[in-house]
Amino acid sequence: MAKTKQQPEDVNVVSLKTLTKSSVWDVQENDVFRMLDSGVKDADIRENLRHYIDLIRSAFEIIDIKEDVNTVKKAYEKKGYKVFTLKIEDKKLSWGIKKKPILRVTDLTYENIRHISANKLLEVIERNFGGGWDSLSQSIQDIILSGFDISTTTLPKDRLHKKGGMYEKKVEDGFEVLEIEKGNWVEAIFAKLKPEQEKPKMKFGDEDEEEIGDDEDFEVQDDYKNHDDEDDTVEDPDDDEITEDNYSTMMDLGGDDPDDEAAQLSDYVDE
């Protein structure tokens, strides 16, 4: 008798029970509906539904539509919401769901920072009143540094794109760049997503074991500390008022370990 070959289980399929505050940023509105629709058939999930709604709310806006009327639903759809009806036993709930946009630096969290591209990150930074890297608060810088390698430099316009300089080397190394003009000077912010790294596990029972920390993730690099030729000078220093204070280069910034509870959740959806 021939045996039926079993299809391999898709380990990438996300369910409510495997969903996290980080992985929820990878799913879309239709995925949320699918997970809820299948999940509420599980008694354990029904009893803890508010917990799962809280988790989904960290990445999505959820509206409880009280009026089960097509005109009301269509009004929410025009605002970008996906509207669906969820049946829990003998009760029906109509919800509108929309992914939270990441438009401002205050929208960045430790959970979503690795779920955007370097280009997207630089767009968000550019919207921050054009102030550059130093205009960001320390907490925002720490969030960004938890997911991206960041380098900055401030140079006169005519020196930024110098052949063989820092700009060229960073672009060749896969960094995206944002240029912010500051008078006759330009601040360049370079960003590249950090590779995924598994945290080292401690070995127990070994007297000579060494505790491995996370601080090395943000170790300051000096690869490009002297990125320009030493004999480079800027003409007419009096006109440009070039001093050590306004001529600066900052490389591969570091930060502290992230706080896993950085993002705050919204109120519960009424049952």
Side-chain angles (χ1 to χ4, degrees), residues 86-210:
L86 185 68
K87 185 176 181 181
I88 304 178
E89 296 178 338
D90 59 346
K91 186 177 181 180
K92 287 185 177 182
L93 299 175
S94 292
W95 285 346
I97 294 182
K98 181 172 67 173
K99 193 74 164 283
K100 288 182 177 179
I102 301 176
L103 301 175
R104 302 176 298 275
V105 292
T106 51
D107 295 327
L108 299 172
T109 67
Y110 286 112
E111 288 74 28
N112 67 27
I113 190 63
R114 293 193 59 84
H115 299 274
I116 62 175
S117 66
N119 272 328
K120 176 66 175 179
L121 171 65
L122 295 178
E123 287 177 8
V124 173
I125 293 177
E126 188 176 19
R127 293 193 188 100
N128 192 48
F129 310 108
W133 178 259
D134 289 337
S135 70
L136 304 176
S137 67
Q138 186 62 54
S139 60
I140 296 298
Q141 289 183 7
D142 289 344
I143 289 173
I144 294 173
L145 290 167
S146 71
F148 288 85
D149 287 321
I150 299 291
S151 301
T152 75
T153 184
T154 302
L155 291 169
K157 290 181 181 180
D158 58 352
R159 291 186 59 190
L160 181 62
H161 296 272
K162 178 183 176 182
K163 185 174 179 59
M166 178 183 181
Y167 190 104
E168 183 178 284
K169 292 177 181 178
K170 282 294 185 181
V171 171
E172 289 177 353
D173 197 27
F175 282 78
E176 300 295 335
V177 59
L178 168 65
E179 297 180 27
I180 300 176
E181 292 193 9
K182 298 181 175 181
N184 293 326
W185 296 69
V186 177
E187 177 182 1
I189 303 176
F190 304 92
K192 183 169 71 170
L193 187 66
K194 288 182 177 179
E196 285 279 9
Q197 292 183 347
E198 293 186 3
K199 292 184 178 180
K201 295 181 180 179
M202 293 178 60
K203 295 181 180 179
F204 296 94
D206 186 352
E207 295 180 356
D208 297 328
E209 71 180 44
E210 294 182 2

Side-chain angles (χ1 to χ4, degrees), residues 240-258:
D240 291 328
E241 297 182 356
I242 299 174
T243 67
E244 292 183 357
D245 293 329
N246 62 18
Y247 182 68
S248 63
T249 297
M250 177 178 63
M251 295 308 309
D252 295 334
L253 306 167
D256 298 328
D257 288 339

